[in-house]
Every structure is written in structure tokens, then in C-alpha cells.
Amino acid sequence: MANYLVLLLTAVVCTCLAQDSSLDNLIADIFKTDPNSFSSTTEANGNNVPFQPTPTKTTVLTPDTKENLNQYESCGYQKECVPRWLCANDTINTSGENIIDIRIDTDAPCKNYLDLCCDLPNKRDTPVTPIVHPVENQGCGYRNPNGVGFKITGQIDQEAEFGEFPWMVAILREESSTGSILNLYECGGALISPDVILTAAHCVHNKDAKSLIVRAGEWDTQTKSEIIPHEDRYVKEIVYHEQFNKGALYNDVALLFLESPFTAQENIQPICLPPAGEQFDSARCYATGWGKNTFGKDGVYQVILKKIDLPVVERNQCQANLRETRLGKHFILDKSFICAGGEKDKDTCKGDGGSPLVCPVKGQRDRYYQAGIVAWGIGCGEENVPGVYASVSQLRPWIDQKLNERHIDFKYFTP
């Protein structure tokens, strides 16, 4: 039975978290890098979606640099398509929350939803919404529910605001192919200090650290026209739990130590870590990621970061629910796991392995602990079938040990 269970869980992980052999083919172009040209790909749903090049090395684009990358197009007499924050006409909210409809409008004069058709006399040299400069770290775990710099409307599939979850990162694997450098998506992760990422062990197990890149501040993977550009850092060291079980995914936790720290800014901030043993039963939490929108071969990887609100499920209830699945009546939920979800059509199929599950810090508005790390599940979005996450509070002693050994300052993730 034990061998059968390990094999079964292995199969579950490979399907639910999309860590199968088709992963690179499905989403390689989402994080594709080619500094010299634009490229396009055909998504699994058959739609042609253009992708813009992204930096290959550690790159911070200044507002001036980003301005030079834009080739403004005419959209009428004495009009140009410019980033919304560079247009000063009366239709723009100048309070700092420029409202952007992210739905594709084929009749719109500007192709990019982040651009606005602006009368040339109203075109500005400096943004209506101020460019956000690096900020002093003001504490971990602060969500930006209204976004950073602008606010979107028209969400049809739980899109996150730009900068809403500033700890969310993408873990990429760098490969060379026919003279180009490709950044292939591996999984998600969370920033816990300027140069440390918390992710799942199954994402980075037996990976070469020098081939991995962490991207922070990402939102829409098809554009570099966001008000603040993302930043990339190379990974120096991978450390995963010594008792990690790659079959059943017990102790599914890893730390990535970076070559250089990220710069703290509004869309790049660390998440708080909960005290050891902290309980989150019945809390309403968020999972985020760029993962599939549905389970199975018809699922499509997401372009804009998605968020899903989920309830944490009490341990005994979760185990009972999972015993009603193909795991069978003898399944035992390991103490290193926490469960969330069980609501129809809402699950971490919309996230990725390694991505964070964050829950509110009691008594503090818009502040969050990382309660879990996306690990595995049975199918996706089935009613009364919760998703399973590595429990950060249960694994906190191991995390603290590894950070202490490397003299990492705990101030970054302690509320």
C-alpha cells in the first residue's frame, strides 16, 4: 500500500501541477527572451499572442530607458498612442489610480491596453502617475489591494492588480537555443528577504543553481510597458529539506539564495513568515500564480498574474475529504501539509508549484503571512477536494535554521 500510495501521489503531482514533459512547450514563450527581436507563439487555445523581449541579465530599466523602447503610433490627427501615465487629458484620473480595462477591445485605437490615444498637446514628458522610486523597507506582507500606479477594471478571470502581491516571483530556467537565450518558466515562489526566495522543493530538486533566474515585480508576461519594470536576479545556492520525499512530497520546501538582492520598491516587497505552529483554520486566503486556468490538456497558462481566494481547511476534515478521492480510505495527510480550497472551480490549477498561499495577519489590515507553498492536489477545482500545500508554520524551524546558518536578518519577514 505504501509503494502504491507513493506512485499515486507522484502521478497526481505530475498532472495537477503541470510539471510534465509538455510544460516547456506550453509556456516557454511566456517568459521567452530574445533581445534583438519580437516574437510570437500560438497558445494551446489556438490564439496568436505576441510576446515582447525581456532582459537576459540582471536589469533595471529606468523611466528614460523604458521611454526610448516605445515607438509611439499615430491614432489620428495630432494623436499618438502613449502610456496612460504620459497623457494629461481630462479623461485620466490624476490622483494616482489610472483605470485600465484589461479586456481586449478590437475597436480600440491603441493595440496595447496600457496605452491611451492622446492628443499631442496633452502629451507629457513626465508621468501623470509618478514613477515609483525605490523605497525603504517598511515591513513585510503588505498587499496593495488597489494596485500600484494604476487600477484595472474589466477583470473576467481573477486577474491581480499590478503590484498587488509584491512578494510574488517567477522562477525561470535559462537555456540557449539557436543563438538565443530562452528563460523557461519552472515555478512560482515568494520573496522573504531581499536575496532569499521561498519555494517548493519539487520545483528545484536536482536543478543547477546557476541556470536559474528569479524574476520579481512581474505582472503581464507579454509586455514591458508596465509603469515599473520587473527585475531579474541569478540564483547562487539552492537548499531544500533533507527529508523531502519526491514521491509523496513530504517536507516540500526549498530556499533560493540570490547572487544579489532585489531593490525594495512598491511592487517588490517580502512576505511575512508565520510563527512556528501558527494555525490558519477557516481563514480566507489568497493563492497567486501564472498557472493553468483549468485542469488537463485543455488548460492554458496565464499571461497576467491571477489570484484565487480560498478557505483553509482544518486538517482532519481535509484528510477525510481526500480519503473520498482515489487516494482511498487509508490515506494519511502528513504533518508537513496544510489544505485550502474545496470550492468548485477554484483551485491552485490557477497557480503553480512553489507559489505562495498567503493568509491575513490578525488585527492588521491588508497584511499577510505566507501560510503555504503550492504542492499537489487531486484534479482541480472539485467541490470538497482541497488543494494541498507545504505548511510554512510547520516547516518554520527548518527555514530558520538555514537562514541562521547564512546570517540572514529576520527583520525582513517578521511583522
Side-chain angles (χ1 to χ4, degrees), residues 234-235 260 370 409:
Y234 280 97
V235 174
S260 59
Q370 181 169 356
D409 195 334

Side-chain angles (χ1 to χ4, degrees), residues 43-44 93 132 141 152 174 177 209 230 233-234 261 274 312 332 410:
E43 283 280 11
N93 178 346
V132 182
I152 60 175
E174 187 175 81
S177 176
H230 63 251
R233 297 291 186 269
Y234 280 97
V312 171
I332 297 175
F410 280 47

Side-chain angles (χ1 to χ4, degrees), residues 14-67:
C14 289
T15 55
C16 184
L17 295 180
Q19 302 295 324
D20 52 50
S21 61
S22 64
L23 175 68
D24 290 346
N25 293 333
L26 284 170
I27 61 172
D29 273 341
I30 286 183
F31 293 92
K32 185 173 181 179
T33 298
D34 183 347
N36 300 314
S37 66
F38 291 88
S39 63
S40 65
T41 188
T42 300
E43 283 280 11
N45 62 4
N47 295 325
N48 289 323
V49 182
F51 296 96
Q52 294 194 18
T54 51
T56 58
K57 302 297 182 182
T58 300
T59 304
V60 179
L61 298 180
T62 66
D64 291 337
T65 305
K66 188 168 64 173
E67 174 88 5

Side-chain angles (χ1 to χ4, degrees), residues 194-211:
D195 56 355
V196 184
I197 303 301
L198 182 64
T199 188
H202 79 257
C203 290
V204 295
H205 184 248
N206 292 331
K207 294 287 193 306
D208 178 9
K210 296 186 181 300
S211 70

